[in-house]
Structures are given as structure tokens and as C-alpha cells.
Amino acid sequence: MEGSVAYDSDLNLKATELRLGLPGTHEEQQAVSNVRNNKRPCVENETAPPPKAQIVGWPPVRSYRKNNSQPVYIKVSMDGAPYLRKIDLKVYSGYPELLQAIENMFKFTIGEYSEREGYKGSDYAPTYEDKDGDWMLVGDVPWEMFTTSCKRLRIMKGSEARGLGCGV
Amino acid sequence: MHKKMMFSFPDEVLEHVFSFIQSDKDRNSVSMVCKSWYEIERWCRRKVFVGNCYSVSPRMVIRRFPEFRSIELKGKPHFADFNLVPDGWGGYVFPWIAEMAGAFPWLEEIKLKRMVVTDESLELIAKSFKNFKVLVLSSCEGFSTDGLAAIAASCKNLKELDLRDCEVDDLSGHWLSHFPDTVSLVSLNISCLGSDEVSFSALERLVGRCTNLRTLRLNRAVPLDKIANILRRAPHLVEFGTGTYAADLRPDVYSDLAGAFSSCKELKSLSGFWDLVPAYLPAIYPACSKLTSLNLSYATIQSPDLIKLLSQCPNLQRLLVLDYIEDSGLEALASTCKDLQELRVFPSDPFGAEPNVSLTERGLVAVSSGCPKLQSVLYFCRRMSNEALVTIAKNCPNFTRFRLCIIEPRTADYLTLEPLDVGFGAIVQYCKDLQRLSLSGLLTDRVFEYIGTYAKKLEMLSVAFAGDSDLGLHHVLSGCESLRKLEIRDCPFGDKALLANAAKLDTMRSLWMSSCAVSFGACKLLGQKMPRLNVEVIDERGPPDSRPESCPVDKLYIYRTVAGPRFDMPPFVWTMEDDPSLQLS
């Protein structure tokens, strides 16, 4: 049972910490400051301790059961919105459902997607950070690849969004 | 000349009597009474069961049973389910289909488990058997929706198509449209298919046409808002599996769904429930009082919602669930479901280092105490005690299947830090009808002594990370009279017990040993001495004779056979050769 234990996983010290600022703003400030510093946001503290090194075929669970169990939670931020949201990518079967859900969540419309021109018809563009730390336009890769590589979503607004949309 | 015996009946009478004997075991016994019974029986056997497809050749089966209508075949060893058998090992069904296609076109049923089924095989089935009715593929792989389309198009009398737990290549969702208008399915299980593999409109039309449909298990891709329409087209369903059970909460969708479930008055079994959203769960409440089987093992439903649901299901006999149910949920189950016979609790986070739910031995003890008819258990947990196991054993002397998986290998009794020998010993001692047992936790040779002494009806034993020495294996092989299948991984068992009990292997279907201590030399010796065994060495490191003979083999699969060595082996499997000069008797 070795392996790094997250700072607050046992004692939940964070809950008792005194701090300034409204509830819920801490994470967003962290995310914003990370982007400014060009640092990759630190994901480790927010998730459970890493799983142990796996023995082949143990525990004896069929592979189709393994895929189902864990939800894939990712944070969704929108430029200009005060709060982050969290969604479970596993709930959606494709891009249309995902984008619909995000539109509902933040009450706005994303434009029409085309491979060549990105999202047209709105000021917003949905982007995501992948495993390599690169920011990509949502929809460019096949859905399965997206769900396994997406670490967080950011709905960009304005000129930044339009810049991303104009082909590659 | 001998007097005609008073109890020698004409063949037709015997045949008629035999027609009431369905069980394979009994049929085999009947055929061994005398030569004439053997002859009569072989001509009227309609269902053939082959537990290991390599134990006999298709030609031999057809020669002995010229009139069968149904065949059931099993291929890969059970540990293939957990990726311990490398891809390409074998288990191909094509040679069987090819022989049967030539021999008789009146075959009606094919049931396969853990076999490799190609589109070519499916196409051959579709072409060859004009009255084909039942195809059940369980944990099979190697085929695509093209093969399914061939079956759908050509098998005009198809009644059952069941693809449980298969791996299917998705090429097109339109294979369902290939069913002719006249087809009348009774059972359709497509729960294993991915998102591209089913067209919803074709599915709805098909369900509408099949007025005798009693079993329908959908796949995850079928959205929640399509369920109501499907259920309304099949009001006589007895078994139903939903697709994804998640959607934004909308009152119209909810009431539509609830109405559809209440109109299915014969529902006894429910499954599916992927991604379950609890708000939609009450839609199934109208069906709950009649439910005997409930599979929630894909549903991330938490304990309070589970308790509410289970309180509506007093007639439940079979429950599959994730460990989100926790001890509290199992305690509720124990108090409301007094008819429970089978319980399977799967781990929601099998690879997590720490427990993510409060599910311990307490839950299983509660169910063992509250459910007097409990017979079959599969339980994943993270801690156990001898005390709990003894209590469970005393509460449930009627257990036929007991499979316990303590997730961390070699976990001791958490109260006393001792091995769990005594606990499992109690299980085999009190449960005299135990047929199947899976062990886990910290175990010494002593547990095997108990098993060899008491488990006289045990047919299948699964062992992992257990035992101290060959004595453990020796106890099992010499003591378990009914043993048919033994599968072992990561145990310190070597040559001695295996060679000393070689004759036992002739009485069993198969033995699997991986990451143990059996040397290549012992495998060769066993192969040489035992002509009716195939001793297969599976080793991806390369030819075993490129290493010293004393070197342990990676994986070993031994099975009895009358078909001799097989010839469809991949490069990493070697069958040890018979040596006639060394054979015993």
C-alpha cells in the first residue's frame, strides 16, 4: 500500500483550512495562474492515490467490466464564467451529446463544427488539454481517442477562439 | 442359447425411455450399461456436449452420434477470461462447422463458449443448416457484424441469437435489417455490441415483428428515450436488458418509460442499466414485485438508492451488483429478499490501492444469515476473517458455488493476522454439496489438506497466490474425488505432486498452472507417460528446450483427449510428445 498519498486524502485538512475568498474560487484561481505561468495544472492532488502496479489478470475481473466502473471526470471552464463545472465524459456517447450538455450547462451556443474551419457562427470555441499538455479543438480527433486523452475542457471566447478555428 | 431376459425391451421402448433423460451425464451413464444400450442411446442422442473442444475430434462425435440436433462446445480455459491465455492459443470452431455442414444439414442449435468464431464460420452456418434455430455465443471473439448479417439473412427459422460477452468487430449497424419479415425471434441478446453496431429503426421494426419475443438484451448504445417504444412493441417480455440508463431528467420521457414498464406484466429479469441516473430508477418499480433476477453490475448506483429499489423486490432470487451496495445495502438485502439464491458483488474500483466503499466481510455474513436459500456466491472485497468464514459456512450448508476474491493477494485474517485456512476449511466442511470453489487471501498448505479431506463433491477449484509446497497440490489431487477442473496461478507447486498424481489427470477435464514451479523436464515426462493427455506448454519467451530442463515453464495446460495432439497451435505452444516405450499399462 505504498505510493504517494495525496496531501488531504486521509485527514481532509483542506476542509479545515482558513483562507480568504469565496467558496469555489480557489480552484479557478489556481487554473488561471497556471495558464499564465504556462504551467501544466497539477492534477495529482485532486485525484485518488495512483493505483498499484497491476498484476496481469488480477483481480479476476472481465475486461468489459473494468471499462465501466470509473467515471472520467474532467473540469470544464468557460472564459468569463466565475465557476468551473465538472462532467463525466463516460456519460456521453459522442461529440454532439457532449457539446449539447456544455451548451446547457453554461447557457450559450457553440457554432457549427467543420473540420476545415472549426466552430463557426458563435464567439465560442470548445478546446481541451490533452495528455501531452497541448490545447486542441474539440472534435478534431475520433471520440474514443478524445475521451482517453482529454484532461480538461475550456470554452474559449473571442479572438482567441476565432484564431483556433481557422484551419491548421 | 440364452433365455430372453424379462426386462429386455424392444429398442423403440428403450429409445422412448431414454428420451426423458436429458442430462448429458445421465446419457453417458446410460450408454455404459451395456453394448445394446450404447447403440440405442447413440442413435437417439439429440444434444451433444463437449466440455473441451480438443478432447475429441468433430469426426468422432459425428460418427458416434449421427442424429444430434444440438451441439455445445467449450474452447479456451477459464483463465482466458482474465487475459492469461495469449491471443491465438486456439479454440477455433471452423473445423467443427465444416465437418457438421458436410455430415448433416438438419442441425438446429450451436452453443459455444470461449471459442474463436470467424465470419467464415458464421457464413458457413448460415449456408449449411436450413432449419437452424439457436445460436448462443458466450465469450467468443473473431467475428464481425458481417457474419451476423449472414446469419440474419439466411436463417429463416432462427429463434435465438445470444451474443453474451462477445467481442465483435463493428463494421456496420445495419446487420439487423437483414432479418426477413417472417423471422420470429424468441430471444435476442446483443448487449455486448458497441455503438456503431445497431441501427435503432431496424431494431424497433424487428422487435415489432417478433411477436413471440421473450428475451431482449440491448446494448449500451440504445438511449433511454428509445426504451419505451421498444417495450411497447414487446409487452410479453420476460427478460429485458436496457441500454444506457442515463438522460437529462424530463417528465415526459420518465412517464413514457414508467408506462412502458408497467405494461410489461411478465417481466422477471432486468439487466443493462449502464451509467444509471437514479432519478429514472423508479420507472421500473411497477415491475419489481415480480422480479426474480436483477443485474445492476454496470450501474453506478449508490447504497441508499439500492436499498430503496431492493425493498420493492421481495421475490428476488438472483442479484448482480457493484460493491457500491456496501455492507448496509447487503444487510437490507438480507432482510427483504428471503428467496435469494445467487449473489455476485463486483468491485467498482478493482485497481485502487485503498477501499473506495464500505464493503467488508460483514455484508456477506449478513446475507448468509438472512437468506436461507443462498447457494451461489461471487464476492469481491478487501478484507476477511476466519471468524466470518466459519459463520458463513455454518449459515449456508447448501452452498454449491463459493467464490471469494480478496483483492490484495495473500491478505491475512484482518483480526488475527493468521492465514485463512481455517475459514475456507469450514466452508468445505459444512458445505457438503460444494461444486465450485475459488480461494483467495493468505493460505498455507493446510487449506488444501482441508479441501482434500472434505470437498468430495468439488468439481472446480481456482487457486491464486496460495500454498507453501507441493504437498498442497498433492492434497487436492489425491483427495478431491469429483474434481474435473483445476486452475492455479502463482503458487509454489512443482513437479513432485504433479508426477505423483499423473493418473488423476486422466479423470479430470483439465488442469491449468501458470507462474508456478513445474519444470520443462516434468512436462516432457508427463507427456511421455500419459498417452491420453495433451500436455501443452505455453511460453512466450521462446522454445522451452532452449532453456535447461529444470527451468519452470511459464504456463501449462493439461487436458485429457482421445483426439491426440492438436495441429492448430501457434508458435508459442508446444505439446509434449507421447513416448510409447514409457507408457504405464
Side-chain angles (χ1 to χ4, degrees):
Chain A
M1 260 52 97
E2 292 74 41
S4 68
V5 176
Y7 161 68
D8 58 351
S9 69
D10 288 324
L11 301 175
N12 202 8
L13 291 174
K14 262 216 173 81
T16 57
E17 251 182 53
L18 291 176
R19 58 177 65 182
L20 298 174
L22 294 169
T25 53
H26 170 77
E27 285 145 327
E28 196 222 359
Q29 282 164 1
Q30 178 137 349
V32 169
S33 69
N34 281 340
V35 168
R36 279 204 214 105
N37 297 341
N38 279 329
K39 260 197 259 189
R40 193 178 297 196
C42 177
V43 187
E44 278 75 24
N45 284 343
E46 291 137 16
T47 57
K52 310 164 53 69
Q54 290 173 29
I55 305 167
V56 173
W58 191 267
V61 179
R62 304 287 303 270
S63 50
Y64 55 77
R65 292 197 176 281
K66 290 182 210 165
N67 296 332
N68 281 312
S69 34
Q70 286 299 86
V72 177
Y73 286 124
I74 56 154
K75 287 186 187 161
V76 186
S77 64
M78 177 151 128
D79 292 358
Y83 298 106
L84 296 187
R85 303 297 299 269
K86 234 183 197 166
I87 59 173
D88 174 9
L89 275 188
K90 286 257 182 91
V91 167
Y92 309 101
S93 51
Y95 286 119
E97 287 84 357
L98 172 66
L99 295 172
Q100 178 81 60
I102 295 176
E103 285 178 332
N104 291 342
M105 218 178 259
F106 290 100
K107 309 276 183 272
F108 75 111
T109 16
I110 298 172
E112 278 256 46
Y113 174 75
S114 78
E115 218 180 319
R116 279 191 60 232
E117 292 172 303
Y119 290 88
K120 286 187 70 174
S122 117
D123 268 351
Y124 296 96
T127 66
Y128 71 101
E129 185 187 21
D130 73 0
K131 275 194 214 159
D132 300 324
D134 300 320
W135 285 92
M136 318 271 290
L137 192 65
V138 170
D140 277 351
V141 303
W143 174 254
E144 265 70 32
M145 194 185 294
F146 168 75
T147 58
T148 51
S149 61
C150 171
K151 280 171 58 176
R152 59 193 333 210
L153 276 167
R154 176 182 160 203
I155 316 297
M156 282 187 187
K157 188 182 175 170
S159 54
E160 239 186 320
R162 284 188 285 277
L164 261 181
C166 292
V168 167
Chain B
M1 304 302 119
H2 57 265
K3 270 198 308 203
K4 204 156 195 179
M5 302 287 244
M6 286 227 280
F7 40 84
S8 159
F9 297 111
D11 288 3
E12 309 81 63
V13 174
L14 280 171
E15 215 180 285
H16 182 69
V17 172
F18 293 169
S19 71
F20 294 101
I21 300 171
Q22 304 285 354
S23 124
D24 203 68
K25 260 192 211 161
D26 293 340
R27 279 259 167 181
N28 290 343
S29 304
V30 160
S31 68
M32 303 229 283
V33 167
C34 62
K35 280 205 181 114
S36 70
W37 279 37
Y38 177 93
E39 274 304 306
I40 298 166
E41 195 281 319
R42 79 181 187 91
W43 279 96
C44 67
R45 189 176 301 207
R46 295 284 176 264
K47 285 188 178 190
V48 169
F49 171 75
V50 180
N52 173 6
C53 64
Y54 290 119
S55 63
V56 66
S57 75
R59 200 163 291 181
M60 284 167 162
V61 174
I62 294 168
R63 207 167 51 214
R64 178 170 170 191
F65 302 113
E67 298 271 332
F68 68 86
R69 299 276 183 279
S70 160
I71 187 160
E72 182 175 347
L73 295 169
K74 296 188 181 181
K76 299 183 207 173
H78 172 241
F79 273 175
D81 285 355
F82 315 124
N83 300 322
L84 287 178
V85 177
D87 271 346
W89 170 83
Y92 305 102
V93 80
F94 188 79
W96 289 84
I97 310 293
E99 286 283 350
M100 293 186 300
F104 39 88
W106 50 81
L107 188 69
E108 293 179 2
E109 282 189 14
I110 295 176
K111 298 181 181 178
L112 306 175
K113 188 166 188 179
R114 286 190 209 98
M115 293 198 76
V116 178
V117 182
T118 56
D119 283 346
E120 204 190 346
S121 304
L122 292 177
E123 282 151 18
L124 191 54
I125 291 173
K127 253 194 344 220
S128 315
F129 308 118
K130 292 305 156 205
N131 200 25
F132 195 67
K133 294 199 171 111
V134 173
L135 184 63
V136 178
L137 303 178
S138 174
S139 303
C140 294
E141 41 140 3
F143 60 102
S144 77
T145 45
D146 283 356
L148 294 177
I151 295 283
S154 304
C155 300
K156 313 239 177 287
N157 291 317
L158 196 68
K159 295 273 167 277
E160 254 186 74
L161 178 62
D162 185 335
L163 307 173
R164 60 183 78 159
D165 308 329
C166 289
E167 267 182 47
V168 184
D169 255 342
D170 73 73
L171 299 176
S172 149
H174 294 289
W175 66 274
L176 271 178
S177 329
H178 289 250
F179 278 112
D181 288 338
T182 48
V183 81
S184 187
L185 292 173
V186 172
S187 170
L188 179 64
N189 180 350
I190 52 172
S191 52
C192 65
L193 297 187
S195 39
D196 289 340
E197 290 155 17
V198 163
S199 139
F200 302 141
S201 51
L203 179 62
E204 274 181 22
R205 281 197 308 272
L206 178 64
V207 172
R209 293 203 299 275
C210 296
T211 51
N212 290 324
L213 197 64
R214 294 291 173 268
T215 298
L216 178 64
R217 307 252 190 226
L218 301 173
N219 61 330
R220 193 174 187 172
V222 179
L224 190 55
D225 56 13
K226 296 260 190 263
I227 301 282
N229 277 345
I230 291 174
L231 283 178
R232 258 187 280 275
R233 284 170 165 77
H236 298 293
L237 276 181
V238 176
E239 300 180 323
F240 180 64
T242 75
T244 182
Y245 208 76
D248 288 335
L249 189 53
R250 280 166 43 199
D252 54 331
V253 172
Y254 177 89
S255 58
D256 208 19
L257 188 62
F261 272 112
S262 358
S263 69
C264 291
K265 307 241 180 266
E266 293 164 67
L267 272 179
K268 287 230 174 87
S269 164
L270 286 178
S271 62
F273 299 111
W274 282 279
D275 323 304
L276 182 140
V277 161
Y280 275 104
L281 202 48
I284 71 167
Y285 284 1
C288 285
S289 62
K290 297 206 198 73
L291 282 185
T292 56
S293 170
L294 190 52
N295 183 351
L296 294 167
S297 62
Y298 301 108
T300 51
I301 169 177
Q302 307 296 329
S303 188
D305 291 312
L306 267 168
I307 293 175
K308 251 190 281 178
L309 173 62
L310 292 170
S311 66
Q312 319 253 345
C313 307
N315 291 311
L316 206 59
Q317 294 172 14
R318 187 169 183 260
L319 176 66
L320 279 66
V321 75
L322 285 169
D323 57 9
Y324 292 126
I325 191 171
E326 298 193 319
D327 291 335
S328 55
L330 290 173
E331 279 153 20
L333 176 71
S335 61
T336 60
C337 300
K338 295 304 186 184
D339 276 351
L340 196 72
Q341 295 172 20
E342 181 179 349
L343 173 67
R344 297 192 190 206
V345 180
F346 294 98
S348 54
D349 184 18
F351 305 114
E354 305 296 328
N356 59 326
V357 292
S358 176
L359 179 110
T360 67
E361 80 285 1
R362 275 181 40 223
L364 187 56
V365 171
V367 179
S368 76
S369 160
C371 302
K373 300 189 187 163
L374 192 64
Q375 274 187 358
S376 172
V377 166
L378 171 62
Y379 198 76
F380 285 81
C381 62
R382 285 186 159 87
R383 77 175 198 204
M384 187 49 62
S385 67
N386 283 310
E387 185 185 340
L389 281 171
V390 172
T391 305
I392 290 165
K394 288 182 175 166
N395 285 340
C396 292
N398 295 324
F399 271 160
T400 52
R401 286 174 204 81
F402 187 73
R403 295 157 70 189
L404 179 67
C405 180
I406 305 166
I407 288 177
E408 178 66 26
R410 302 192 188 91
T411 301
D413 176 327
Y414 79 98
L415 292 172
T416 64
L417 298 184
E418 283 171 4
L420 290 170
D421 300 335
V422 167
F424 279 105
I427 294 281
V428 293
Q429 194 180 340
Y430 286 96
C431 306
K432 303 202 192 301
D433 292 328
L434 197 68
Q435 288 170 16
R436 185 169 178 184
L437 177 63
S438 298
L439 305 173
S440 58
L442 182 64
L443 297 165
T444 72
D445 284 345
R446 211 160 143 229
V447 73
F448 299 108
E449 194 181 346
Y450 290 132
I451 292 172
T453 305
Y454 293 109
K456 295 306 181 186
K457 299 259 180 77
L458 192 68
E459 298 182 10
M460 182 171 180
L461 179 64
S462 309
V463 186
F465 306 102
D468 309 310
S469 75
D470 270 52
L471 204 51
L473 181 57
H474 174 70
H475 284 310
V476 171
L477 289 177
S478 58
C480 296
E481 292 160 6
S482 310
L483 196 65
R484 294 189 298 115
K485 290 178 280 183
L486 179 57
E487 47 184 26
I488 302 172
R489 63 163 295 174
D490 294 275
C491 295
F493 301 145
D495 301 345
K496 284 200 293 262
L498 201 54
L499 293 174
N501 292 283
K504 173 73 173 172
L505 300 175
D506 261 347
T507 69
M508 291 167 53
R509 182 187 295 174
S510 65
L511 166 65
W512 169 279
M513 291 179 74
S514 56
S515 307
C516 295
V518 180
S519 73
F520 179 53
C523 295
K524 280 205 300 195
L525 193 55
L526 205 53
Q528 286 161 2
K529 279 168 59 172
M530 309 292 294
R532 284 190 308 263
L533 292 182
N534 275 356
V535 178
E536 291 189 9
V537 170
I538 301 165
D539 210 320
E540 290 175 289
R541 297 173 295 179
D545 54 16
S546 65
R547 289 180 289 278
E549 278 206 0
S550 55
C551 211
V553 299
D554 182 27
K555 296 169 182 174
L556 175 61
Y557 185 49
I558 301 173
Y559 53 90
R560 67 178 176 184
T561 179
V562 293
R566 58 185 178 113
F567 298 106
D568 60 357
M569 294 174 307
F572 51 83
V573 178
W574 295 267
T575 301
M576 304 295 101
E577 278 167 25
D578 298 336
D579 183 347
S581 65
L582 276 187
Q583 277 149 31
L584 313 165
S585 65

